[in-house]
Amino acid sequence: MDHRIVAKVLVLVFFSWINATVWSQNPTRQFKSIASIPAGVKVSVSDGEYIFRSYGPNIIETTFIPNGQKHEANSHTVEKKPDENSLTWAATSNALIPPFIHIYHKEDRDKKMNPVILIQTNPFKITYWHKGKYLLSERWGYDVDSSMEKIQFNLSQGEKIFGTGNRVVGMDRRGYRLPLYNKAHYGYETHSEQMNYCMPLVISDRLYALHFDNSYTGFLDLDSKKDSSLTYETSGGRKTYQVIAADNWKELVTSYTSLTGRQPLPPRWTFGNFASRFGYHSEQEARNVVQQFRADSIPLDAIVFDLYWFGTTIQGTLGNFEFHRDSFPNPKQMISDFKSNGVKTVLITEPFILTTSRTWEETKAKKLLCTDVTGEKPFTYDFYFGNTGLLDIYKPETKQWFWDIYKGLIDMGVEGIWGDLGEPEVHPDELYHVNGRSNRVHNTYGHDWARLISDGYKADFPTKRPFILMRSGYSGSQRFGMIPWTGDVNRTWGGLKPQVELTLQAGLQGIGYLHSDLGGFGGANDDPELYVRWLQYGVFQPVFRPHAQQEVASEAIFKDPQTKALAKQAIEWRYRLLPYNYTLAYENATTGIPLMRPVFMEYPQRKEYLNRTDCYLWGPDMFVVPVTEKGQKIAKIDFPDSNPWFNLYTDERVVPKQFITTARCFWGSRMEMVWNEPTIDSLTMDQIPVFVKAGAFIPMAKKGIQSTEEYSVNNVEVHFYYDPTVSASEGKLFEDDGTSRQDFDGDCFTLFEFDYLKKSRRNSVINVNANSPFCKPFSPGVTLVIHNVSEAPRIVSRTNDQLLGEDTKITFDSTTKTARLLYKLEDGNKLKIKFP
């Protein structure tokens, strides 16, 4: 035994012993033995065995296998392969304290670094650590009662808990017992404890994530009894969980998505405007809508068809997967014409096969449906849309049948697949899939439906990026390209308010493209102010898709002239920000970091933002304050820091005011606390408060494009928000063809990286690096727009300090205080600029 290791962890052992006296684990569980195995480390106890595995330096998986049970090896969530033979252990004892076992990564033990797991053998207790910092511990650990199997943990005092999927209960979910059962909540507003996208995942402000890797339905009790406990309750399945630890929020999200997979880069048109409603009844109606968008010069990239593409009524038609020819006489030509006009077609589909549908007899005869307990008879039941069966997508023959339908639609020209009602909306307990009862796969049905489509694309359309719109999913669904939305929100101000919370929480959980039906979905409330404010917020959410029930038009073209003009302005800003947004998508695809971010992700020192949803960051450089109150005239802007910010729309420079309070600590020293004083911003109907960080590089498209197909990097302006208080900054611009599947390993792309460095009081350097490893760069140059200059800056030199000739000039606009120049995007190109 290495006594230096004992000394290294002595303090940790002491505190673990103190914790054990306060938070005793199951007193009947007795330690028996420990051994290294190829998968990791096995610990045998009186009522079962623990298996510990590593998925990297900061991810530990723990599985408990009760006596008499078999372990289910397959995970629906984890994509990463475990690090075999990477864990080791050391035992120590001391007459004054109980004996402990320390589990390490082998490399860390060799370096005399900290353990990741401490096991107290008597009384038995497991605690998890990260770089000497206590994270959490099992309290009772595994237990079972008459209805549920449970795993219980200790929470620290004051610890805040995020995650659990879609909920509207506030950012901190502690204090609730939340169901793990996907269920749509029609018409929700400011409170909802059960929605369409649940995840067995909790995230702590102590910078760890705890994921329960089990598909079965259940509950997450997040200290509802106020006894500092967290309890996972499940109706069956795996007793496996992963602990992911990190030093900061970005690392936590990056590590979690390295385990569960990352969102593939979606097609560029995903970031355009969608025409969508419930729904378009005929080919002529759809053609008229697209034509009117073009006539009004309102940008448009996609049209989404709801139920009526396969039938004339809402009820009685699910399971028809062909265009209704009376209403859509020539769908292939319609789709082709739309594509020629820069508009992609997206179709809704559902997994329910009504007994009145055209495919009922076929699916019944081929045994493609879920069954009763005998496994022979299709299980049928009534719900809103009619008497139905459910496709059993866990049968290989059903997967192939369903994919063949999608393949036919894609061959017809369809560019996007919409999977609706995938909770599944009604999923009786008595229904059986080929792999078990409904409670086993209820929460993963939408997840595996997205997998089916993603796998089909890879097999039959390997160069094409899928667009998969889904209402329900599970942990890790992002890796299949799923683009979820926040469900059937009410068309009210109460419906708008929770949208920031929902999308921020999803981003922390690896789901980077959760978005809302802009304008709201449910109800007949036609409030122009609400519609405009929701669309203005939508400019800075992952997908810009207005959608609503039939009572109120969701498309800008049907609004009164004033509302239409304001909506058009918002949509045009969405297209101007296309290169910035697409670059955020690249960052999400390569790191998992979400497009829409809580302020504390970029400014962790601002702890008060842990509970706030009245503002957020769009990427690293834009601070957004949505307007969510009817008739709101002012907004209090609490900036994340005291550095200058620029109004995106007016270029006004704002310096947050600060005040300092001083307090005397009980030991006599003085402590200063610096606070930002909120800035009062008067609101107008043409914009919401959006500010750009001083020193930011924001790539924008020039005005006027009507579709992402008109976009070209040659028409990009890189806006640099110069400020003399900034000494250094950086930015990126990502470019590829926008359509081909992109894995960043052999596929063509160019990543332009911009750096600004202030070398003296007036002299600065702007450097660009064009990283294009597999092809030539996509563009020779862009227009550089420098903001906040009182007179034209002067270019002193460029690459290799060669003086520029007279042919390179800067144009200056004294009204806007901006300077422009054509900047060549060549690797290592440097501009040395002298600012006034």
Side-chain angles (χ1 to χ4, degrees):
M1 180 180 61
D2 191 333
H3 292 284
R4 290 173 297 178
I5 298 177
V6 176
K8 184 75 174 178
V9 300
L10 185 59
V11 174
L12 306 184
V13 168
F14 174 74
F15 279 107
S16 294
W17 179 70
I18 292 295
N19 286 338
T21 64
V22 179
W23 296 326
S24 59
Q25 196 159 336
N26 184 344
T28 65
R29 182 166 294 129
Q30 302 296 317
F31 172 83
K32 295 175 67 176
S33 66
I34 183 169
S36 294
I37 59 175
V41 173
K42 179 174 73 173
V43 174
S44 297
V45 292
S46 54
D47 57 341
E49 63 183 27
Y50 286 90
I51 305 294
F52 300 100
R53 298 203 299 181
S54 169
Y55 284 87
N58 59 340
I59 303 175
I60 290 293
E61 179 181 272
T62 300
T63 294
F64 183 74
I65 307 172
N67 289 336
Q69 290 192 22
K70 291 184 178 181
H71 176 53
E72 295 185 23
N74 293 330
S75 168
H76 286 266
T77 299
V78 173
E79 182 182 53
K80 193 174 184 179
K81 300 297 182 183
D83 295 339
E84 302 290 347
N85 296 306
S86 65
L87 293 180
T88 188
W89 55 275
T92 182
S93 61
N94 187 298
L96 298 177
I97 59 175
F100 283 80
I101 295 171
H102 315 136
I103 298 179
Y104 300 82
H105 289 100
K106 288 183 177 179
E107 180 179 323
D108 289 347
R109 184 190 175 187
D110 293 342
K111 295 179 179 179
K112 310 301 184 291
M113 293 175 67
N114 298 307
V116 291
I117 304 170
L118 290 180
I119 297 178
Q120 181 179 275
T121 59
N122 185 26
F124 187 82
K125 184 177 180 60
I126 299 173
T127 60
Y128 295 90
W129 299 77
H130 177 64
K131 297 182 178 179
K133 173 186 173 183
Y134 167 79
L135 299 177
L136 78 162
S137 60
E138 286 195 0
R139 176 180 287 192
W140 192 265
Y142 173 78
D143 192 20
V144 61
D145 61 24
S146 60
S147 60
M148 290 282 180
E149 295 180 278
K150 303 177 181 181
I151 308 176
Q152 189 178 62
F153 298 81
N154 292 302
L155 292 176
S156 298
Q157 185 175 1
E159 184 174 0
K160 297 183 184 300
I161 297 296
F162 308 89
T164 77
N166 284 2
R167 322 276 178 174
V168 184
V169 295
M171 288 295 284
D172 183 4
R173 274 91 199 265
R174 187 167 180 169
Y176 288 93
R177 182 175 182 261
L178 299 170
L180 293 172
Y181 189 92
N182 290 345
K183 183 179 180 181
H185 183 170
Y186 175 81
Y188 73 89
E189 292 189 356
T190 56
H191 188 85
S192 181
E193 296 181 22
Q194 184 176 18
M195 297 181 70
N196 50 292
Y197 203 127
C198 301
M199 282 196 273
L201 170 68
V202 294
I203 299 169
S204 169
D205 68 339
R206 294 176 61 82
L207 294 177
Y208 71 83
L210 176 62
H211 177 256
F212 297 96
D213 192 0
N214 180 30
S215 64
Y216 279 73
T217 57
F219 292 87
L220 273 171
D221 189 330
L222 308 177
D223 197 22
S224 67
K225 299 179 180 67
K226 309 299 181 186
D227 59 356
S228 296
S229 68
L230 183 158
T231 306
Y232 171 66
E233 307 172 31
T234 177
S235 57
R238 291 155 55 91
K239 272 65 70 175
T240 296
Y241 61 87
Q242 293 95 23
V243 178
I244 303 102
D247 296 326
N248 57 66
W249 287 101
K250 287 185 176 180
E251 182 189 358
L252 186 60
V253 175
T254 296
S255 296
Y256 171 74
T257 55
S258 75
L259 178 73
T260 62
R262 297 196 174 119
Q263 182 97 19
L265 190 66
R268 189 172 1 237
W269 61 266
T270 303
F271 301 95
N273 177 35
F274 288 63
S276 182
R277 66 157 67 178
F278 183 26
Y280 300 114
H281 294 74
S282 68
E283 178 178 332
Q284 190 58 53
E285 181 183 20
R287 287 182 178 274
N288 290 344
V289 166
V290 171
Q291 182 180 0
Q292 194 60 51
F293 269 98
R294 293 295 183 240
D296 289 340
S297 298
I298 299 177
L300 181 68
D301 260 274
I303 183 167
V304 183
F305 288 86
D306 212 311
L307 299 179
Y308 297 112
W309 73 271
F310 52 74
T312 58
T313 60
I314 296 175
Q315 294 175 312
T317 59
L318 300 189
N320 297 337
F321 297 106
E322 296 178 353
F323 276 93
H324 189 268
R325 290 305 177 119
D326 289 345
S327 306
F328 295 86
N330 196 346
K332 188 172 184 178
Q333 187 61 50
M334 177 192 72
I335 294 169
S336 177
D337 291 345
F338 287 165
K339 186 174 183 179
S340 298
N341 206 358
V343 177
K344 313 300 186 294
T345 297
V346 181
L347 298 183
I348 193 172
T349 58
E350 293 89 0
F352 296 95
I353 308 295
L354 298 189
T355 55
T356 55
S357 71
R358 290 193 292 269
T359 59
W360 170 253
E361 292 299 332
E362 178 188 2
T363 54
K364 179 182 176 182
K366 293 180 177 179
K367 297 186 176 183
L368 306 179
L369 302 166
C370 297
T371 69
D372 62 12
V373 68
T374 67
E376 295 297 328
K377 184 180 179 181
F379 190 95
T380 57
Y381 52 99
D382 293 326
F383 77 141
Y384 173 78
F385 295 94
N387 186 256
T388 193
L390 178 68
L391 287 172
D392 189 353
I393 61 172
Y394 296 97
K395 292 182 176 180
E397 57 270 27
T398 306
K399 284 184 182 180
Q400 188 61 54
W401 182 88
F402 211 5
W403 171 247
D404 286 343
I405 287 174
Y406 287 127
K407 185 176 184 297
L409 295 173
I410 297 166
D411 286 336
M412 186 185 288
V414 171
E415 294 283 347
I417 303 298
W418 174 9
D420 200 13
L421 313 182
E423 291 79 20
E425 182 162 295
V426 179
H427 203 198
D429 287 343
E430 302 81 12
L431 177 149
Y432 280 78
H433 294 261
V434 68
N435 55 348
R437 197 157 62 91
S438 62
N439 68 326
R440 178 177 184 176
V441 297
H442 176 81
N443 289 333
T444 58
Y445 190 93
H447 173 87
D448 289 315
W449 185 8
R451 185 203 304 265
L452 182 159
I453 299 171
S454 174
D455 289 348
Y457 265 95
K458 290 177 181 177
D460 292 326
F461 306 98
T463 64
K464 193 177 185 65
R465 299 183 201 175
F467 177 88
I468 305 172
L469 183 67
M470 288 271 177
R471 193 169 79 176
S472 186
Y474 183 71
S475 311
S477 292
Q478 70 275 355
R479 72 175 179 267
F480 305 128
M482 181 189 288
I483 296 178
W485 78 101
T486 60
D488 295 341
V489 59
N490 221 13
R491 197 179 183 86
T492 60
W493 290 94
L496 172 59
K497 290 181 193 300
Q499 298 309 314
V500 172
E501 174 189 342
L502 286 163
T503 304
L504 293 183
Q505 287 274 5
L508 291 174
Q509 299 171 83
I511 308 298
Y513 287 86
L514 185 74
H515 65 284
S516 64
D517 289 342
L518 295 181
F521 177 78
N525 178 29
D526 190 5
D527 182 345
E529 182 186 2
L530 172 66
Y531 178 78
V532 168
R533 291 306 194 197
W534 212 318
L535 263 63
Q536 289 169 341
Y537 154 71
V539 175
F540 308 96
Q541 72 160 15
V543 178
F544 193 97
R545 187 183 55 85
H547 183 68
Q549 287 182 318
Q550 299 175 85
E551 292 84 355
V552 179
S554 59
E555 305 93 338
I557 57 174
F558 295 117
K559 301 300 181 181
D560 64 84
Q562 181 182 9
T563 304
K564 181 193 287 189
L566 292 170
K568 179 181 180 181
Q569 182 180 357
I571 295 167
E572 288 173 341
W573 266 106
R574 179 72 178 184
Y575 279 77
R576 287 210 65 196
L577 292 174
L578 181 61
Y580 179 76
N581 295 347
Y582 197 61
T583 302
L584 296 182
Y586 156 78
E587 185 178 12
N588 174 258
T590 54
T591 69
I593 296 172
L595 292 74
M596 186 168 161
R597 306 169 188 181
V599 171
F600 60 78
M601 180 172 281
E602 298 284 348
Y603 298 87
Q605 72 278 11
R606 298 296 302 271
K607 300 293 186 183
E608 67 273 26
Y609 279 99
L610 290 168
N611 291 318
R612 290 180 58 174
T613 59
D614 58 334
C615 55
Y616 62 92
L617 291 164
W618 182 240
D621 297 317
M622 291 190 182
F623 181 62
V624 182
V625 183
V627 176
T628 60
E629 297 285 349
K630 185 174 180 62
Q632 187 175 336
K633 301 299 182 184
I634 63 169
K636 293 182 178 180
I637 314 300
D638 185 5
F639 287 99
D641 62 19
S642 60
N643 296 320
W645 294 78
F646 293 89
N647 187 302
L648 174 67
Y649 304 106
T650 68
D651 248 14
E652 176 190 4
R653 181 177 184 265
V654 180
V655 181
K657 296 180 181 178
Q658 284 191 333
F659 60 91
I660 300 174
T661 59
T662 304
R664 185 176 295 278
C665 301
F666 69 88
W667 54 82
S669 63
R670 296 175 68 85
M671 179 175 63
E672 286 190 346
M673 294 181 292
V674 182
W675 304 85
N676 280 0
E677 181 178 330
T679 301
I680 305 301
D681 194 34
S682 297
L683 298 176
T684 58
M685 275 304 299
D686 61 336
Q687 60 189 246
I688 61 173
V690 181
F691 298 88
V692 179
K693 183 167 63 177
F697 290 89
I698 307 292
M700 298 186 195
K702 293 179 181 178
K703 297 178 181 179
I705 65 173
Q706 295 296 296
S707 164
T708 58
E709 290 195 359
E710 298 177 10
Y711 170 81
S712 168
V713 69
N714 295 319
N715 293 323
V716 169
E717 298 174 335
V718 177
H719 291 251
F720 173 59
Y721 288 81
Y722 167 76
D723 196 88
T725 64
V726 176
S727 58
S729 64
E730 60 184 24
K732 295 182 176 68
L733 169 62
F734 175 82
E735 287 297 334
D736 64 6
D737 65 13
T739 60
S740 301
R741 188 179 291 271
Q742 180 65 265
D743 65 6
F744 312 105
D745 184 16
D747 297 316
C748 185
F749 69 88
T750 302
L751 179 65
F752 302 107
E753 297 176 300
F754 303 94
D755 295 293
Y756 165 78
L757 179 64
K758 185 177 182 179
K759 306 203 77 172
S760 64
R761 189 173 67 88
R762 298 181 67 184
N763 287 337
S764 300
V765 171
I766 294 177
N767 175 57
V768 60
N769 179 49
N771 180 20
S772 192
F774 308 111
C775 60
K776 293 181 179 179
F778 270 78
S779 173
V782 297
T783 299
L784 181 65
V785 182
I786 303 174
H787 293 247
N788 190 37
V789 286
S790 56
E791 59 185 75
R794 185 166 64 88
I795 299 177
V796 178
S797 63
R798 60 179 177 184
T799 304
N800 300 324
D801 291 330
Q802 296 175 354
L803 295 179
L804 292 175
E806 292 295 323
D807 57 327
T808 303
K809 296 180 180 179
I810 294 179
T811 60
F812 175 69
D813 187 328
S814 59
T815 303
T816 61
K817 295 184 178 180
T818 57
R820 291 172 174 264
L821 73 153
L822 181 63
Y823 187 43
K824 289 187 176 182
L825 292 178
E826 297 172 348
D827 190 25
N829 196 352
K830 293 182 181 180
L831 285 177
K832 189 174 182 181
I833 299 177
K834 187 174 184 179
F835 287 92

